[in-house]
Amino acid sequence: MRITGNTLTRRGFGAILAAGLLATGLTACANSDTGDNAGGTAGDDKIVLGFSQVGAESGWRTANTTSVKEAATEAGIELKFDDAQQKQENQIRAIRNFIQQKVDVIAFSPVVESGWDTVLKEAKDAQIPVILTDRAVDSADKTLYKTFLGSDFVKEGRLSAEWLIEETKSATGPVNIVELQGTTGSAPANDRKKGFAEAIAANPNLKIIASQSGDFTRAGGKAVMEQFLKANPKIDVLFAHNDDMGLGALEAITAAGKVPGKDIKIITIDAVKDGMQALADGKFNFIAECSPLLGPQLMDLAKKVHAGEEVPARIETEETTFTQQTAKEALPTRKY
Ligand code: GYE
């Protein structure tokens, strides 16, 4: 919300409102431009957060959306939520709308890494702080956003590879790997691919024989796995950039008469409930966790940047990995 000195004087409530602002830690003074925000009336100090979500492509995404919505309510932040349906143009439009509505803070999870400079510059010119959640952008100008909150995707790829290296250490012949990549151009797809490839590079037995995008969806994972199976008679391992694509691939593998988890070892990333169930059931072999529960930290950051406080440039989520055994133990108390 924004209140100028003029507004206060004009309304004749200067002293009262000023006292109110002091009591709320002066957060309302952090903005320098004028005019009421879209959400509140003058005197209402609720922070308005515009959030542009990627879409609803996976179990991870659904859990992430729930986390953001619940945390906003909990924190007393007014959330303007927009679902971009996996399209960058929709996200750019949503961000421009937020700017026009003069929200206090903008947060978004960029569907792809490139192509954000112009719209981020517009937000900066409007003096609206931007927080990147979950996925990064490749903008050279780091002043276009305040902070990034999310996971180390390169590490997730590397941990996946390290499990495989250990698992296949006694293999004598080549181990054929197929890879289901996430959304083309997205940070998690780029980084998970990189982390995995770098880690297996020193091991000549481990070969990626096919790699294609399944767009992080079950349908995509199934369709691409069907093609992989048709084109490659010997597939030993599937590395899927998320659980959902792995779950879709399960159907293709079973339909091809192979046993998932045995004939073809499956490694995925996320550790959402359905993925963890598949792991506990012996259909998956390993999952590197990626937490979608970013809501509470995001709200905390929104309050801080709104108040003009310094925040770290990058905040990483703590994560673990799961085997079939540890998945069985973790499942009963799993939150997402
Ligand atoms: O792994 C995938 C989702 O950006 C970390 O996006 C996120 C990824 C997640 O669709 O399931």
Short mmCIF file of all heavy atoms in Angstrom, two decimals, residues 183-242:
data_model
loop_
_atom_site.label_atom_id
_atom_site.label_comp_id
_atom_site.label_asym_id
_atom_site.label_seq_id
_atom_site.Cartn_x
_atom_site.Cartn_y
_atom_site.Cartn_z
N THR A 183 10.76 -28.99 -19.04
CA THR A 183 10.42 -27.97 -20.04
C THR A 183 11.67 -27.36 -20.67
O THR A 183 12.57 -26.90 -19.97
CB THR A 183 9.58 -26.87 -19.36
OG1 THR A 183 8.40 -27.49 -18.84
CG2 THR A 183 9.21 -25.76 -20.33
N THR A 184 11.71 -27.38 -22.00
CA THR A 184 12.88 -26.87 -22.72
C THR A 184 13.16 -25.42 -22.36
O THR A 184 12.26 -24.58 -22.40
CB THR A 184 12.63 -26.99 -24.24
OG1 THR A 184 12.30 -28.34 -24.52
CG2 THR A 184 13.86 -26.60 -25.04
N GLY A 185 14.40 -25.15 -21.97
CA GLY A 185 14.79 -23.77 -21.64
C GLY A 185 14.54 -23.39 -20.20
O GLY A 185 14.88 -22.28 -19.78
N SER A 186 13.94 -24.29 -19.41
CA SER A 186 13.69 -23.95 -18.00
C SER A 186 14.95 -24.22 -17.17
O SER A 186 15.74 -25.11 -17.50
CB SER A 186 12.52 -24.77 -17.44
OG SER A 186 12.88 -26.14 -17.32
N ALA A 187 15.09 -23.48 -16.08
CA ALA A 187 16.26 -23.65 -15.22
C ALA A 187 16.39 -25.09 -14.71
O ALA A 187 17.48 -25.67 -14.77
CB ALA A 187 16.21 -22.65 -14.07
N PRO A 188 15.30 -25.72 -14.21
CA PRO A 188 15.48 -27.08 -13.69
C PRO A 188 15.89 -28.08 -14.78
O PRO A 188 16.66 -29.00 -14.52
CB PRO A 188 14.13 -27.43 -13.08
CG PRO A 188 13.16 -26.43 -13.58
CD PRO A 188 13.94 -25.20 -13.91
N ALA A 189 15.39 -27.90 -16.00
CA ALA A 189 15.77 -28.83 -17.08
C ALA A 189 17.24 -28.61 -17.45
O ALA A 189 18.02 -29.57 -17.55
CB ALA A 189 14.87 -28.63 -18.29
N ASN A 190 17.63 -27.36 -17.62
CA ASN A 190 19.03 -27.07 -17.98
C ASN A 190 19.99 -27.57 -16.90
O ASN A 190 21.00 -28.22 -17.20
CB ASN A 190 19.23 -25.56 -18.14
CG ASN A 190 18.48 -24.99 -19.34
OD1 ASN A 190 18.08 -25.74 -20.23
ND2 ASN A 190 18.28 -23.69 -19.36
N ASP A 191 19.67 -27.27 -15.66
CA ASP A 191 20.62 -27.55 -14.57
C ASP A 191 20.66 -29.03 -14.18
O ASP A 191 21.71 -29.56 -13.85
CB ASP A 191 20.27 -26.70 -13.34
CG ASP A 191 20.53 -25.21 -13.59
OD1 ASP A 191 21.07 -24.87 -14.66
OD2 ASP A 191 20.18 -24.41 -12.72
N ARG A 192 19.51 -29.68 -14.18
CA ARG A 192 19.50 -31.11 -13.82
C ARG A 192 20.25 -31.91 -14.87
O ARG A 192 21.00 -32.84 -14.56
CB ARG A 192 18.05 -31.60 -13.67
CG ARG A 192 17.41 -31.08 -12.41
CD ARG A 192 15.92 -31.29 -12.33
NE ARG A 192 15.40 -30.68 -11.10
CZ ARG A 192 14.14 -30.51 -10.81
NH1 ARG A 192 13.20 -30.90 -11.66
NH2 ARG A 192 13.77 -29.96 -9.67
N LYS A 193 20.06 -31.53 -16.11
CA LYS A 193 20.78 -32.19 -17.21
C LYS A 193 22.29 -32.02 -17.03
O LYS A 193 23.06 -32.97 -17.13
CB LYS A 193 20.32 -31.59 -18.54
CG LYS A 193 20.97 -32.20 -19.76
CD LYS A 193 20.29 -31.73 -21.04
CE LYS A 193 20.93 -32.35 -22.27
NZ LYS A 193 21.03 -33.82 -22.18
N LYS A 194 22.66 -30.78 -16.74
CA LYS A 194 24.08 -30.44 -16.58
C LYS A 194 24.70 -31.22 -15.41
O LYS A 194 25.75 -31.86 -15.55
CB LYS A 194 24.18 -28.93 -16.32
CG LYS A 194 25.55 -28.39 -16.16
CD LYS A 194 25.49 -26.85 -16.23
CE LYS A 194 26.84 -26.25 -16.03
NZ LYS A 194 27.06 -25.74 -14.67
N GLY A 195 24.05 -31.18 -14.25
CA GLY A 195 24.59 -31.84 -13.06
C GLY A 195 24.76 -33.34 -13.27
O GLY A 195 25.77 -33.92 -12.87
N PHE A 196 23.78 -33.94 -13.93
CA PHE A 196 23.83 -35.38 -14.18
C PHE A 196 24.94 -35.71 -15.17
O PHE A 196 25.77 -36.60 -14.92
CB PHE A 196 22.47 -35.83 -14.73
CG PHE A 196 22.30 -37.32 -14.85
CD1 PHE A 196 21.87 -38.08 -13.77
CD2 PHE A 196 22.55 -37.96 -16.05
CE1 PHE A 196 21.70 -39.46 -13.88
CE2 PHE A 196 22.39 -39.35 -16.18
CZ PHE A 196 21.96 -40.09 -15.09
N ALA A 197 24.99 -34.97 -16.28
CA ALA A 197 25.98 -35.24 -17.34
C ALA A 197 27.40 -35.06 -16.81
O ALA A 197 28.28 -35.90 -17.08
CB ALA A 197 25.73 -34.31 -18.52
N GLU A 198 27.61 -34.01 -16.04
CA GLU A 198 28.96 -33.77 -15.51
C GLU A 198 29.40 -34.89 -14.59
O GLU A 198 30.56 -35.32 -14.62
CB GLU A 198 28.99 -32.43 -14.74
CG GLU A 198 29.07 -31.24 -15.67
CD GLU A 198 28.95 -29.90 -14.95
OE1 GLU A 198 28.77 -29.88 -13.70
OE2 GLU A 198 29.00 -28.87 -15.65
N ALA A 199 28.47 -35.38 -13.78
CA ALA A 199 28.85 -36.41 -12.81
C ALA A 199 29.13 -37.76 -13.47
O ALA A 199 29.98 -38.51 -13.00
CB ALA A 199 27.75 -36.55 -11.76
N ILE A 200 28.44 -38.08 -14.55
CA ILE A 200 28.69 -39.40 -15.18
C ILE A 200 29.85 -39.33 -16.19
O ILE A 200 30.31 -40.36 -16.68
CB ILE A 200 27.44 -40.00 -15.87
CG1 ILE A 200 26.95 -39.13 -17.04
CG2 ILE A 200 26.33 -40.27 -14.86
CD1 ILE A 200 25.99 -39.85 -17.97
N ALA A 201 30.31 -38.12 -16.51
CA ALA A 201 31.29 -37.95 -17.59
C ALA A 201 32.55 -38.81 -17.42
O ALA A 201 33.08 -39.34 -18.39
CB ALA A 201 31.68 -36.48 -17.71
N ALA A 202 32.97 -38.96 -16.17
CA ALA A 202 34.22 -39.69 -15.93
C ALA A 202 34.03 -41.20 -16.02
O ALA A 202 34.99 -41.95 -15.87
CB ALA A 202 34.76 -39.31 -14.55
N ASN A 203 32.81 -41.64 -16.24
CA ASN A 203 32.49 -43.07 -16.20
C ASN A 203 32.06 -43.56 -17.59
O ASN A 203 30.90 -43.44 -17.97
CB ASN A 203 31.36 -43.26 -15.19
CG ASN A 203 31.25 -44.68 -14.74
OD1 ASN A 203 31.34 -45.58 -15.57
ND2 ASN A 203 31.05 -44.88 -13.46
N PRO A 204 32.99 -44.10 -18.36
CA PRO A 204 32.69 -44.42 -19.77
C PRO A 204 31.59 -45.47 -19.96
O PRO A 204 30.97 -45.52 -21.03
CB PRO A 204 34.04 -44.94 -20.30
CG PRO A 204 34.86 -45.26 -19.10
CD PRO A 204 34.34 -44.45 -17.96
N ASN A 205 31.30 -46.25 -18.93
CA ASN A 205 30.22 -47.25 -19.04
C ASN A 205 28.83 -46.61 -19.13
O ASN A 205 27.91 -47.17 -19.72
CB ASN A 205 30.20 -48.14 -17.79
CG ASN A 205 31.02 -49.39 -18.00
OD1 ASN A 205 31.44 -49.67 -19.12
ND2 ASN A 205 31.23 -50.13 -16.92
N LEU A 206 28.71 -45.45 -18.50
CA LEU A 206 27.38 -44.81 -18.42
C LEU A 206 27.16 -43.91 -19.62
O LEU A 206 27.87 -42.92 -19.81
CB LEU A 206 27.27 -44.00 -17.12
CG LEU A 206 27.45 -44.79 -15.82
CD1 LEU A 206 27.37 -43.87 -14.60
CD2 LEU A 206 26.40 -45.89 -15.69
N LYS A 207 26.17 -44.30 -20.44
CA LYS A 207 25.95 -43.56 -21.69
C LYS A 207 24.51 -43.09 -21.81
O LYS A 207 23.58 -43.90 -21.70
CB LYS A 207 26.19 -44.51 -22.87
CG LYS A 207 27.62 -44.61 -23.27
CD LYS A 207 27.70 -45.17 -24.70
CE LYS A 207 29.07 -45.78 -24.90
NZ LYS A 207 29.04 -47.16 -25.31
N ILE A 208 24.32 -41.79 -22.08
CA ILE A 208 22.96 -41.30 -22.37
C ILE A 208 22.71 -41.55 -23.85
O ILE A 208 23.32 -40.92 -24.72
CB ILE A 208 22.82 -39.81 -22.02
CG1 ILE A 208 23.08 -39.60 -20.52
CG2 ILE A 208 21.43 -39.30 -22.39
CD1 ILE A 208 23.06 -38.17 -20.05
N ILE A 209 21.82 -42.50 -24.15
CA ILE A 209 21.59 -42.87 -25.56
C ILE A 209 20.44 -42.08 -26.19
O ILE A 209 20.31 -42.03 -27.41
CB ILE A 209 21.34 -44.40 -25.72
CG1 ILE A 209 20.16 -44.86 -24.86
CG2 ILE A 209 22.61 -45.19 -25.38
CD1 ILE A 209 19.62 -46.23 -25.24
N ALA A 210 19.60 -41.48 -25.37
CA ALA A 210 18.52 -40.64 -25.91
C ALA A 210 18.10 -39.65 -24.83
O ALA A 210 18.09 -39.98 -23.64
CB ALA A 210 17.32 -41.49 -26.31
N SER A 211 17.76 -38.42 -25.24
CA SER A 211 17.38 -37.39 -24.29
C SER A 211 16.40 -36.43 -24.95
O SER A 211 16.70 -35.86 -26.00
CB SER A 211 18.63 -36.63 -23.83
OG SER A 211 18.29 -35.63 -22.92
N GLN A 212 15.24 -36.27 -24.37
CA GLN A 212 14.20 -35.44 -24.99
C GLN A 212 13.30 -34.84 -23.91
O GLN A 212 13.15 -35.42 -22.84
CB GLN A 212 13.37 -36.33 -25.91
CG GLN A 212 12.78 -35.58 -27.10
CD GLN A 212 11.99 -36.54 -27.97
OE1 GLN A 212 12.55 -37.51 -28.50
NE2 GLN A 212 10.70 -36.28 -28.10
N SER A 213 12.63 -33.74 -24.25
CA SER A 213 11.74 -33.10 -23.27
C SER A 213 10.38 -33.78 -23.20
O SER A 213 9.77 -34.10 -24.21
CB SER A 213 11.52 -31.63 -23.63
OG SER A 213 10.54 -31.08 -22.78
N GLY A 214 9.91 -33.97 -21.98
CA GLY A 214 8.54 -34.44 -21.74
C GLY A 214 7.76 -33.34 -21.03
O GLY A 214 6.68 -33.59 -20.49
N ASP A 215 8.30 -32.13 -21.02
CA ASP A 215 7.61 -30.92 -20.53
C ASP A 215 7.14 -31.01 -19.08
O ASP A 215 6.19 -30.34 -18.70
CB ASP A 215 6.43 -30.60 -21.46
CG ASP A 215 6.17 -29.11 -21.53
OD1 ASP A 215 7.04 -28.33 -21.08
OD2 ASP A 215 5.09 -28.72 -22.01
N PHE A 216 7.76 -31.87 -18.28
CA PHE A 216 7.43 -32.03 -16.87
C PHE A 216 6.04 -32.63 -16.63
O PHE A 216 5.55 -32.58 -15.49
CB PHE A 216 7.54 -30.69 -16.12
CG PHE A 216 8.94 -30.29 -15.71
CD1 PHE A 216 9.43 -29.00 -15.98
CD2 PHE A 216 9.79 -31.18 -15.05
CE1 PHE A 216 10.71 -28.63 -15.59
CE2 PHE A 216 11.07 -30.80 -14.66
CZ PHE A 216 11.53 -29.53 -14.93
N THR A 217 5.38 -33.17 -17.67
CA THR A 217 4.03 -33.71 -17.46
C THR A 217 4.02 -35.24 -17.57
O THR A 217 4.89 -35.84 -18.21
CB THR A 217 3.04 -33.16 -18.50
OG1 THR A 217 3.41 -33.63 -19.81
CG2 THR A 217 2.99 -31.65 -18.51
N ARG A 218 2.98 -35.84 -17.00
CA ARG A 218 2.82 -37.30 -17.10
C ARG A 218 2.61 -37.71 -18.55
O ARG A 218 3.20 -38.69 -19.03
CB ARG A 218 1.62 -37.77 -16.28
CG ARG A 218 1.92 -37.78 -14.84
CD ARG A 218 0.84 -38.48 -14.04
NE ARG A 218 1.06 -38.10 -12.65
CZ ARG A 218 0.68 -38.78 -11.60
NH1 ARG A 218 0.01 -39.91 -11.75
NH2 ARG A 218 0.93 -38.36 -10.40
N ALA A 219 1.73 -36.96 -19.24
CA ALA A 219 1.42 -37.30 -20.64
C ALA A 219 2.69 -37.21 -21.48
O ALA A 219 2.96 -38.09 -22.32
CB ALA A 219 0.36 -36.35 -21.18
N GLY A 220 3.48 -36.17 -21.25
CA GLY A 220 4.74 -35.99 -21.99
C GLY A 220 5.70 -37.14 -21.71
O GLY A 220 6.33 -37.69 -22.61
N GLY A 221 5.82 -37.50 -20.44
CA GLY A 221 6.72 -38.58 -20.05
C GLY A 221 6.34 -39.90 -20.71
O GLY A 221 7.19 -40.65 -21.20
N LYS A 222 5.04 -40.16 -20.75
CA LYS A 222 4.56 -41.41 -21.35
C LYS A 222 4.85 -41.44 -22.85
O LYS A 222 5.40 -42.42 -23.37
CB LYS A 222 3.05 -41.53 -21.09
CG LYS A 222 2.47 -42.82 -21.60
CD LYS A 222 1.00 -42.93 -21.27
CE LYS A 222 0.47 -44.24 -21.87
NZ LYS A 222 -0.93 -44.17 -22.20
N ALA A 223 4.49 -40.36 -23.53
CA ALA A 223 4.65 -40.31 -24.99
C ALA A 223 6.11 -40.44 -25.40
O ALA A 223 6.45 -41.20 -26.32
CB ALA A 223 4.05 -39.01 -25.54
N VAL A 224 6.98 -39.72 -24.71
CA VAL A 224 8.40 -39.75 -25.10
C VAL A 224 9.02 -41.11 -24.75
O VAL A 224 9.81 -41.67 -25.52
CB VAL A 224 9.19 -38.59 -24.44
CG1 VAL A 224 10.66 -38.67 -24.79
CG2 VAL A 224 8.63 -37.25 -24.90
N MET A 225 8.61 -41.68 -23.62
CA MET A 225 9.15 -43.00 -23.24
C MET A 225 8.72 -44.06 -24.26
O MET A 225 9.50 -44.96 -24.58
CB MET A 225 8.67 -43.38 -21.83
CG MET A 225 9.39 -44.58 -21.26
SD MET A 225 11.15 -44.23 -20.90
CE MET A 225 11.85 -45.87 -20.93
N GLU A 226 7.51 -43.94 -24.77
CA GLU A 226 7.06 -44.89 -25.82
C GLU A 226 8.01 -44.85 -27.01
O GLU A 226 8.42 -45.88 -27.53
CB GLU A 226 5.63 -44.55 -26.27
CG GLU A 226 4.56 -45.10 -25.35
CD GLU A 226 3.18 -44.48 -25.59
OE1 GLU A 226 3.05 -43.62 -26.50
OE2 GLU A 226 2.26 -44.83 -24.83
N GLN A 227 8.36 -43.62 -27.41
CA GLN A 227 9.30 -43.47 -28.55
C GLN A 227 10.67 -44.04 -28.20
O GLN A 227 11.28 -44.73 -29.02
CB GLN A 227 9.49 -42.01 -28.90
CG GLN A 227 8.28 -41.31 -29.47
CD GLN A 227 8.55 -39.80 -29.55
OE1 GLN A 227 9.68 -39.36 -29.74
NE2 GLN A 227 7.49 -39.02 -29.39
N PHE A 228 11.15 -43.74 -27.02
CA PHE A 228 12.46 -44.27 -26.59
C PHE A 228 12.47 -45.80 -26.68
O PHE A 228 13.42 -46.40 -27.15
CB PHE A 228 12.75 -43.88 -25.13
CG PHE A 228 13.17 -42.45 -24.91
CD1 PHE A 228 13.17 -41.92 -23.62
CD2 PHE A 228 13.59 -41.63 -25.95
CE1 PHE A 228 13.56 -40.61 -23.37
CE2 PHE A 228 13.99 -40.31 -25.72
CZ PHE A 228 13.97 -39.81 -24.42
N LEU A 229 11.38 -46.42 -26.19
CA LEU A 229 11.32 -47.89 -26.15
C LEU A 229 11.28 -48.48 -27.56
O LEU A 229 11.88 -49.52 -27.82
CB LEU A 229 10.10 -48.34 -25.34
CG LEU A 229 10.23 -48.15 -23.82
CD1 LEU A 229 8.87 -48.12 -23.15
CD2 LEU A 229 11.10 -49.25 -23.20
N LYS A 230 10.57 -47.80 -28.45
CA LYS A 230 10.49 -48.27 -29.84
C LYS A 230 11.86 -48.20 -30.51
O LYS A 230 12.26 -49.09 -31.25
CB LYS A 230 9.50 -47.42 -30.63
CG LYS A 230 8.11 -48.00 -30.61
CD LYS A 230 7.19 -47.27 -31.59
CE LYS A 230 5.77 -47.38 -31.06
NZ LYS A 230 5.02 -46.14 -31.15
N ALA A 231 12.57 -47.10 -30.26
CA ALA A 231 13.83 -46.85 -30.97
C ALA A 231 15.04 -47.56 -30.36
O ALA A 231 16.06 -47.73 -31.04
CB ALA A 231 14.08 -45.35 -31.02
N ASN A 232 14.93 -47.96 -29.09
CA ASN A 232 16.11 -48.51 -28.41
C ASN A 232 15.80 -49.85 -27.75
O ASN A 232 15.13 -49.89 -26.72
CB ASN A 232 16.60 -47.54 -27.33
CG ASN A 232 16.88 -46.16 -27.88
OD1 ASN A 232 17.90 -45.92 -28.51
ND2 ASN A 232 15.94 -45.24 -27.68
N PRO A 233 16.32 -50.95 -28.31
CA PRO A 233 16.02 -52.26 -27.74
C PRO A 233 16.60 -52.46 -26.34
O PRO A 233 16.02 -53.16 -25.53
CB PRO A 233 16.65 -53.24 -28.73
CG PRO A 233 17.56 -52.44 -29.63
CD PRO A 233 17.10 -51.02 -29.56
N LYS A 234 17.72 -51.81 -26.04
CA LYS A 234 18.30 -52.02 -24.70
C LYS A 234 18.37 -50.70 -23.91
O LYS A 234 19.23 -49.85 -24.15
CB LYS A 234 19.70 -52.61 -24.83
CG LYS A 234 20.37 -52.91 -23.48
CD LYS A 234 21.76 -53.49 -23.66
CE LYS A 234 22.46 -53.77 -22.34
NZ LYS A 234 22.89 -52.57 -21.63
N ILE A 235 17.40 -50.55 -23.01
CA ILE A 235 17.43 -49.39 -22.11
C ILE A 235 17.60 -49.94 -20.68
O ILE A 235 16.80 -50.76 -20.23
CB ILE A 235 16.11 -48.57 -22.19
CG1 ILE A 235 15.93 -47.99 -23.60
CG2 ILE A 235 16.10 -47.45 -21.15
CD1 ILE A 235 14.59 -47.30 -23.84
N ASP A 236 18.63 -49.48 -19.99
CA ASP A 236 18.87 -49.98 -18.63
C ASP A 236 18.35 -49.02 -17.56
O ASP A 236 17.95 -49.45 -16.48
CB ASP A 236 20.38 -50.20 -18.41
CG ASP A 236 20.96 -51.16 -19.42
OD1 ASP A 236 20.45 -52.29 -19.49
OD2 ASP A 236 21.88 -50.77 -20.17
N VAL A 237 18.40 -47.73 -17.88
CA VAL A 237 18.09 -46.72 -16.86
C VAL A 237 17.28 -45.58 -17.47
O VAL A 237 17.55 -45.16 -18.61
CB VAL A 237 19.40 -46.12 -16.27
CG1 VAL A 237 19.10 -45.00 -15.28
CG2 VAL A 237 20.26 -47.20 -15.62
N LEU A 238 16.29 -45.10 -16.71
CA LEU A 238 15.60 -43.86 -17.09
C LEU A 238 15.93 -42.80 -16.04
O LEU A 238 15.75 -43.03 -14.84
CB LEU A 238 14.08 -44.08 -17.11
CG LEU A 238 13.23 -42.80 -17.10
CD1 LEU A 238 13.44 -41.97 -18.37
CD2 LEU A 238 11.74 -43.13 -16.92
N PHE A 239 16.43 -41.66 -16.51
CA PHE A 239 16.59 -40.51 -15.63
C PHE A 239 15.54 -39.48 -16.05
O PHE A 239 15.60 -38.92 -17.14
CB PHE A 239 18.01 -39.93 -15.75
CG PHE A 239 18.19 -38.59 -15.05
CD1 PHE A 239 17.70 -38.37 -13.77
CD2 PHE A 239 18.86 -37.54 -15.69
CE1 PHE A 239 17.86 -37.14 -13.13
CE2 PHE A 239 19.03 -36.31 -15.06
CZ PHE A 239 18.52 -36.11 -13.78
N ALA A 240 14.53 -39.26 -15.19
CA ALA A 240 13.46 -38.31 -15.50
C ALA A 240 13.63 -37.08 -14.62
O ALA A 240 13.82 -37.22 -13.41
CB ALA A 240 12.10 -38.94 -15.25
N HIS A 241 13.53 -35.89 -15.21
CA HIS A 241 13.75 -34.66 -14.47
C HIS A 241 12.66 -34.35 -13.44
O HIS A 241 12.78 -33.38 -12.70
CB HIS A 241 13.89 -33.47 -15.41
CG HIS A 241 15.17 -33.43 -16.19
ND1 HIS A 241 15.55 -32.37 -16.97
CD2 HIS A 241 16.17 -34.35 -16.31
CE1 HIS A 241 16.72 -32.62 -17.54
NE2 HIS A 241 17.11 -33.81 -17.16
N ASN A 242 11.54 -35.10 -13.46
CA ASN A 242 10.61 -35.00 -12.33
C ASN A 242 9.80 -36.29 -12.18
O ASN A 242 9.80 -37.15 -13.06
CB ASN A 242 9.69 -33.75 -12.42
CG ASN A 242 8.53 -33.89 -13.39
OD1 ASN A 242 8.52 -34.78 -14.24
ND2 ASN A 242 7.56 -33.01 -13.27
#
